[in-house]
Amino acid sequence: MARPLLYLVLAATLANSPGACEKSAASQSAAAGSSAGGSGGDWTSLGATACAKYFTPEVNAALLTGPGTPMTRSATSCTVEAAGGNIQLSLASENIASFNAGVKYLPDTVALPGVGDRALQDAVGITAYKAPDRVCTILLAGDDGYFKQSGPQLGQTLGGVCNKLFATNP
C-alpha cells in the first residue's frame, strides 16, 4: 500500500509543478483571447461534471467493489468518492511537448494504445493526450484490492472515459 501512496504523492507533485502552472497561465491566456479555434480552455470545463456523466453505474460497477458518488473537485476536475477509495479525473490544456515533458517523470509507465493520440498507464491510473491540446488524467486511490480491475483491462476502461471526453465539445 505504501507504493501506491508514493505514486499518488508523485502525481500530485507533478500536477502542481512549475510546468503545470505555466500551462495553466497559457490556457487562461488562450481562453481569454478572442481568437477562434482555442478549444482547450473551454474543453477543460467538462472536468467538473465528467464523473457524474461518464462514470456511469455500469462503469463504477466494473471498477469499484462498492457504490461511488460523483463530486466536483474544481472547474476542471471531479472525483468518484467511495468508502474504500476514489477515482480522480482532471482535464488540462497543453501541447504535446508539454505533455511529453511531464509524463517522462511518471514511473513504470506502459503505452496504452487506442486512447487519444498518446496515452500512458502507470501504477495509479492513466494520462492521455489528444491533439491539439487536450489532456485527460485519471488517478485511482484506494485500499489494496478495492478496485476490481488492473493492468490492461483497467487501462482500457479508464481510457474509454478519456476517449469519450476527447470526442466531446462544450
Side-chain angles (χ1 to χ4, degrees):
M1 179 140 149
R3 187 172 180 179
L5 181 59
L6 174 66
Y7 288 134
L8 185 57
V9 169
L10 178 62
T13 301
L14 290 173
N16 294 312
S17 68
C21 293
E22 291 170 14
K23 72 182 172 211
S24 294
S27 67
Q28 288 173 358
S29 296
S34 59
S35 74
S39 64
D42 294 335
W43 178 76
T44 61
S45 67
L46 297 172
T49 58
C51 291
K53 185 170 183 178
Y54 297 104
F55 285 99
T56 63
E58 294 80 19
V59 172
N60 286 343
L63 292 172
L64 309 172
T65 58
T69 304
M71 301 173 71
T72 297
R73 293 178 66 209
S74 72
T76 61
S77 66
C78 62
T79 184
V80 176
E81 296 289 333
N86 65 53
I87 301 168
Q88 302 166 13
L89 179 145
S90 54
L91 302 180
S93 292
E94 60 186 57
N95 62 35
I96 188 65
S98 178
F99 176 82
N100 287 336
V103 298
K104 72 180 180 182
Y105 296 105
L106 294 174
D108 303 325
T109 59
V110 294
L112 188 56
V115 179
D117 294 327
R118 179 164 192 237
L120 298 170
Q121 182 174 356
D122 60 37
V124 296
I126 69 165
T127 300
Y129 171 83
K130 178 75 174 164
D133 61 358
R134 294 182 175 194
V135 176
C136 174
T137 301
I138 303 176
L139 302 175
L140 305 178
D143 297 335
D144 284 339
Y146 182 73
F147 297 100
K148 291 180 180 178
Q149 295 181 0
S150 62
Q153 182 185 25
L154 175 64
Q156 289 304 312
T157 299
L158 299 179
V161 171
C162 286
N163 278 340
K164 287 178 184 175
L165 281 158
F166 288 148
T168 303
N169 290 307

